[in-house]
Amino acid sequence: NKLKDLYETLCCQNEPALFFQYIKARVKDAEGFRNFWIKKYRKILSETYKNALIELEQKIIPKINAAYISILPKYSFAIQFKFKLAKPYISKDDREFYILDNPVKKEWVFKIPMVSPSTWKGNLRWIIRKIKRLTDEPFVSDDDQLIRLFGNEREEENTQQGCLIFYPTFFYNIGVEVINPHDRKVKAGKWPIFIEVVPEDTKGTFTLVYVPQFGEDPSEVKENAKQDLDKVVKAIKAMMFEYGFSAKKGSGYGIIKDELNSCQLIMNGISLSFDEIKSAKFEFFKERKDLIVKELKKD
């Protein structure tokens, strides 16, 4: 009932399509309608997201701690941290009707800006391929580790589920970037393009869980988990700080600041006990990963 009330509140009060007649009565033309949205309406949305949906995030995204990891199989590990955007995040929504031609991707029911699990998975897979230099050889198939982490491509006949589980990231802010292409002759632009974005300094939470594939040889499972942990931590660092996870990566969009909060990296099946770190740099994950790997070697 609580979620239903939130849904009705957002749809009845903050959905652009339902507000169309109200806003239209206050502006003279389509240009005024768009400017009204850019200057005022997105601020209403941002405040609504921040106040009404923070509890929804808490219900969808698990709290990574010793109690959570204990219910997973041995050598499962989880990574979670809160980050702040250093550059705006851009993505493409699939909505047909919207005030701007380039809306940011939103959650289906509550219309909150988000990074979907499939987006995280696709970006991290691309980063690992980039690190392995597979992107320069498009016909080279994935190696055993990539298939183990992410599963087979959809085109494969025998599909295999990957070990990595991604959770969505929700953002409680929304903004607009403007691109104004210039004419080469007159060196000036006539038709600015408005792109909806999640602006710089917006906070989000990244959550990833790894559940190993179990075979007949437990030592192989442990060795795979050790190698996968090392690869995943390196790939997350490259994705967050070097390449980005947004559209227009080449222009620097979608990278984060090295100011992480509520950091946690924990593995089930080792004797180490870690507390959550409230504030840290990303090197925290490398240091904790090295401790876990060292403990696995002694096991």
Side-chain angles (χ1 to χ4, degrees), residues 64-66 78-80 229 233 262-267 270 272-278 280-296:
I64 301 303
N65 51 31
I79 298 174
Q80 186 174 70
L229 174 62
V233 170
S262 301
C263 305
Q264 187 63 283
L265 166 55
I266 187 169
M267 176 180 279
I270 62 172
L272 296 176
S273 178
F274 294 122
D275 295 326
E276 178 183 307
I277 302 298
K278 294 298 182 182
K281 304 291 185 181
F282 195 85
E283 286 301 313
F284 153 83
F285 289 101
K286 180 181 182 301
E287 295 169 0
R288 182 165 287 187
K289 182 238 345 176
D290 292 341
L291 289 174
I292 292 175
V293 170
K294 185 177 179 180
E295 190 68 21
L296 286 174

Side-chain angles (χ1 to χ4, degrees), residues 123 126-127 238-246 249 252-255:
N123 276 285
W126 180 84
I127 292 297
M239 177 177 67
M240 292 295 189
F241 298 103
E242 298 177 32
Y243 297 100
F245 53 90
S246 166
K249 295 183 185 68
Y253 287 93
I255 61 174

